[in-house]
């Protein structure tokens, strides 16, 4: 019993000594106007913004995949990533139904850096630029001619290993209207509600996307909003996002959309917000992704 008693006395002595100590003042380098830049990042108010949309492509029985691309800018581009990129045929149709010539507008591109390295396992990409584009809804068609479903599965296993994502398409609109999203709960614990907030914002009028005062939402432009949740075991759940003041979205009808769910597993979750609607130019779609670690 002597050793624990001695340890308690030592801790008490250290505590008394610390109470007598005067903490050293912290110096901030820079004028007072820059002091807010030294604030500790808040997981709730520090968000993600994007002028892009991400689509996960899975080829059907006929080895094709088709996706509508909403373009609301005079110039846009899109990237196609896949472990089987060399076998993929890419066809784009403009809003009038005419085929878009992509033969001279492509270049190799690396997969964007993400928190989860397994997401880009085996991925190689091509970026396509479409200058002087017409605003409207385009149709993108990917196909793997000459390959059966069994051939595709075999190549995927050989090239990508554990990554079973056949292709990923990212659409980039050169538009000032961007999506801004943030996690609405600082504690990410199994069994405790976790949510995501999303809004459309004007990136020209509001240069700073995060911080204590996030940019105000553009109202009455979002027609549909949803949250896609990829669980640690790989299964996916999709839930609608609401602007009713009841889903971690602030006041009702303020342009901020929210959705919540209760994590049932420990591990890494991928939360993707999707906002679609119509702005002053035309139809748009935007997505963001958050990699969230949930603990027991």
């Amino acid at each position: 019993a002597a050793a624990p008693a001695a340890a308690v006395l030592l801790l008490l002595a250290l505590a008394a000594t610390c109470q007598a100590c005067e903490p050293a003042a912290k110096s901030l380098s820079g004028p007072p106007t820059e002091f807010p830049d030294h604030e500790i990042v808040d997981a709730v108010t520090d968000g993600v913004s994007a002028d892009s949309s991400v689509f996960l492509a899975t080829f059907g029985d006929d080895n094709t995949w088709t996706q509508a691309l909403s373009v609301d800018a005079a110039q846009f581009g899109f990237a196609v990533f896949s472990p089987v990129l060399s076998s993929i045929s890419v066809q784009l149709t403009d809003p009038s139904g005419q085929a878009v010539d992509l033969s001279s507008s492509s270049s190799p591109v690396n997969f964007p850096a993400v928190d989860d390295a397994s997401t880009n396992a085996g991925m190689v990409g091509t970026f396509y630029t479409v200058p002087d584009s017409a605003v409207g809804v385009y149709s993108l068609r990917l196909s793997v001619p000459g390959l059966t479903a069994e051939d595709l599965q075999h190549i995927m296993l050989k090239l990508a290993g554990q990554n079973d994502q056949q292709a990923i398409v990212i659409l980039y609109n050169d538009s000032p209207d961007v999506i801004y999203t943030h996690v609405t709960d600082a504690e990410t614990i199994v069994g405790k509600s976790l949510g995501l907030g999303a809004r459309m914002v004007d990136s020209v009028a509001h240069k700073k996307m995060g911080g204590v005062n996030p940019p105000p939402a553009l109202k009455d432009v979002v027609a549909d909003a949803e949250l896609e949740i990829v669980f640690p075991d790989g299964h996916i759940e999709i839930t609608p996002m609401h602007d009713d003041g009841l889903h971690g979205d602030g006041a009702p009808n303020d342009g901020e959309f929210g959705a919540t769910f209760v994590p049932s597993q420990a591990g890494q979750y991928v939360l993707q917000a999707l906002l679609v609607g119509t702005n002053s130019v035309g139809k748009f779609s935007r997505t963001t992704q958050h990699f969230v670690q949930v603990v027991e």
Side-chain angles (χ1 to χ4, degrees), residues 36-47 211:
D37 296 334
H38 295 273
E39 293 173 350
I40 297 174
V41 173
D42 187 329
V44 174
T45 59
D46 191 68

Side-chain angles (χ1 to χ4, degrees), residues 23-35:
K26 182 177 180 180
S27 298
L28 296 179
S29 177
T33 55
E34 295 182 2
F35 284 4

Side-chain angles (χ1 to χ4, degrees), residues 57 59 63-65 78 80-91 123-126 128 140-145 147 152 156 165-169:
F59 297 103
N63 278 354
T64 65
W65 175 83
F78 65 94
V80 179
F81 300 93
S82 175
V84 293
L85 184 68
S86 60
S87 300
I88 293 179
S89 172
V90 180
Q91 297 172 302
M123 289 286 184
V124 291
T126 298
Y128 298 89
L140 177 66
R141 182 177 185 269
L142 305 184
S143 61
V144 280
L147 293 181
L152 184 59
M156 287 290 299
Q165 186 58 56
Q166 295 178 347
I168 296 176
V169 173

Side-chain angles (χ1 to χ4, degrees), residues 96 140 194 229 276 281:
S96 69
L140 177 66
L194 177 61
I229 308 158
V276 297
V281 178

Side-chain angles (χ1 to χ4, degrees), residues 240-291:
M241 302 183 79
H242 303 274
D243 183 13
D244 57 4
L246 302 175
H247 295 80
D249 57 293
N253 303 314
D254 63 352
E256 170 87 0
F257 289 76
T260 61
F261 74 103
V262 178
S264 57
Q265 312 164 13
Q268 181 170 266
Y269 287 72
V270 182
L271 309 182
Q272 173 168 293
L274 167 65
L275 299 183
V276 297
T278 305
N279 56 21
S280 60
V281 178
K283 294 183 180 298
F284 69 83
S285 68
R286 304 283 192 272
T287 65
T288 57
Q289 294 75 38
H290 292 254
F291 294 84

Side-chain angles (χ1 to χ4, degrees), residues 148-178:
T148 65
E150 291 75 16
D151 292 335
L152 184 59
Q153 182 178 15
H154 177 74
I155 295 174
M156 287 290 299
L157 289 173
K158 181 179 179 181
L159 296 180
Q162 297 300 315
N163 182 12
D164 60 357
Q165 186 58 56
Q166 295 178 347
I168 296 176
V169 173
I170 305 180
L171 167 66
Y172 299 91
N173 274 287
D174 186 16
S175 168
D177 293 348
V178 303

Side-chain angles (χ1 to χ4, degrees), residues 8 14 23 67 71 111 129 145 154 210 219 221 242 289 295:
V8 170
L14 288 173
Q67 176 65 45
V71 174
F111 195 83
T129 302
H154 177 74
K219 297 182 181 180
V221 297
H242 303 274
Q289 294 75 38
V295 298

